[in-house]
Amino acid sequence: MIIKNRIVPIAFFVAVILTSFSCKQKENKEQPKTAVKNELNALNDQILSKPTAELYFKRAQLFVNKNVLTQALEDMNKAVALDSMRPEYYMFMADLSFRTLQIQNSVKEYERVLKLDPTNIEADLKLAEIYLYIKGYQKCLYYADEALKINKNR
């Protein structure tokens, strides 16, 4: 009887703690969603008033965080149309293309990165990885070797 009397209050206490903990977790999940939505709305307003490559790039990053990859690619195409000299835009597009299994586009974008920045080791390594993946071993070795040469010179 004493054990039963102790178990009920303990079980009640544990249930209250678990319930309050799960409610706090739901609150924490809702706050980032609201923050992202607010940031997205702010970016949309800024783009409507004065579109810039940087704004499209920021919005594309938000779309990637929300896993809306096709919209992110569309925004990156707009960003590149406004400013085609930023290697980081092409890196981002290449990564997006790879994630959406558009391998040829990914290769094309990484090669653009290397035209703008021939010392970009990350682009060389990504190309080596892609060519390893698609069994283009000669090109894989070429890009891996380029990355090693760049690293050696630094």
Side-chain angles (χ1 to χ4, degrees):
M1 194 70 174
I2 294 174
I3 295 175
K4 284 185 180 179
N5 288 341
R6 285 188 169 173
I7 290 177
V8 170
I10 291 173
F12 178 74
F13 179 72
V14 169
V16 168
I17 289 177
L18 290 176
T19 303
S20 66
F21 180 72
S22 68
C23 289
K24 286 182 183 177
Q25 279 186 326
K26 287 179 184 175
E27 275 180 24
N28 290 338
K29 287 180 182 176
E30 292 301 318
Q31 287 173 348
K33 284 182 182 179
T34 303
V36 169
K37 188 175 181 180
N38 290 341
E39 190 175 354
L40 185 59
N41 287 337
L43 282 171
N44 288 338
D45 292 341
Q46 291 174 344
I47 288 170
L48 283 174
S49 66
K50 186 178 179 192
T52 66
E54 188 64 30
L55 291 173
Y56 281 118
F57 180 57
K58 286 180 182 178
R59 191 168 73 173
Q61 291 172 317
L62 279 178
F63 283 134
V64 168
N65 290 340
K66 293 180 70 167
N67 206 29
V68 185
L69 303 182
T70 53
Q71 186 63 47
L73 274 171
E74 286 179 26
D75 274 2
M76 287 312 300
N77 285 323
K78 292 174 184 174
V80 166
L82 292 170
D83 184 356
S84 62
M85 299 306 292
R86 305 256 322 254
E88 62 268 24
Y89 291 175
Y90 292 107
M91 281 294 290
F92 195 75
M93 286 180 69
D95 291 340
L96 275 172
S97 295
F98 188 78
R99 283 181 66 177
T100 58
L101 301 177
Q102 298 174 20
I103 305 301
Q104 293 303 323
N105 285 343
S106 184
V107 168
K108 182 178 73 172
E109 301 304 341
Y110 285 126
E111 287 173 347
R112 284 185 185 168
V113 170
L114 290 173
K115 284 182 183 175
L116 293 171
D117 180 11
T119 62
N120 191 312
I121 293 175
E122 186 178 353
D124 279 318
L125 292 175
K126 293 279 188 166
L127 282 166
E129 181 182 353
I130 288 172
Y131 281 113
L132 179 64
Y133 177 71
I134 61 174
K135 299 180 182 179
Y137 300 119
Q138 291 290 5
K139 287 189 176 185
C140 171
L141 290 173
Y142 170 78
Y143 286 111
D145 188 50
E146 290 296 308
L148 289 172
K149 286 178 190 175
I150 295 166
N151 192 40
K152 183 180 177 183
N153 292 334
R154 286 188 178 179

